[in-house]
Amino acid sequence: MTDDVTPLAPDTGADDPSRRVRDAAAERGLDIEVRVSPRAASLEEAAELRGISPADIVKTLVVKGRGDHYLFALVPGDRAISWAKLRAAVGVNRLRLPEPHLALEATGYERGTIVPLGSTTAWPVYADERIRGRRVSMGAGAHGRTMFLDADALLDAYDATVGDITDPIEGIRGELPKQ
């Protein structure tokens, strides 16, 4: 990975769009690097702009369980969540992606910016085992920002449940499987 493909996003203090992420990382002892993230038309283009492989981009999905229970699923960019595998890992019969307003209420983040760091509620984290041992890029709590960090440090900081919770995507641009 070439760390200087995209410029660093300077910490602008209280009005920094990634303030919650930066503060949460500091509280948990995580070393993060927030960078500017230009808009990309595809996962492949986003990876190219960041100087990494699509597998090194980690999607954070907020997943709704029963009632007001949610969780975060961390999914490598080149894979899709496997609902059957995730349900088995969580030990429930039903999970779904919530409507955008529910995701915002549950995390304080809009879709496309969701990340466990700085979430208004510390929901449980489930991560696909394929992100272990990688330096990854993921949302930074604001549009136009991405953060880079050590995946193992993130998983440890959130006591994540790690396992096989994804399936390969047929050609990266494939559709996410339905519940």
Side-chain angles (χ1 to χ4, degrees), residues 14-42:
D15 64 340
D16 187 307
S18 295
R19 175 85 276 131
R20 286 175 32 212
V21 167
R22 291 177 193 267
D23 290 347
E27 287 172 17
R28 291 183 181 260
L30 292 170
D31 181 24
I32 66 167
E33 188 174 272
V34 178
R35 293 193 166 267
V36 173
S37 179
R39 217 166 195 44
S42 66

Side-chain angles (χ1 to χ4, degrees), residues 42-111:
S42 66
L43 174 70
E44 299 87 348
E45 182 182 359
E48 185 176 328
L49 288 168
R50 297 174 194 181
I52 59 177
S53 76
D56 292 324
I57 293 178
V58 173
K59 303 173 280 195
T60 302
L61 303 175
V62 62
V63 176
K64 186 173 184 343
R66 178 176 281 217
D68 289 335
H69 296 289
Y70 293 85
L71 62 93
F72 291 110
L74 304 182
V75 177
D78 63 343
R79 298 185 65 85
I81 197 166
S82 166
W83 290 105
K85 292 176 184 178
L86 183 59
R87 285 191 305 265
V90 176
V92 298
N93 293 326
R94 187 175 168 100
L95 294 170
R96 68 180 180 89
L97 293 177
E99 294 77 11
H101 74 278
L102 292 176
L104 176 62
E105 288 173 16
T107 66
Y109 292 125
E110 295 177 20
R111 277 199 184 156

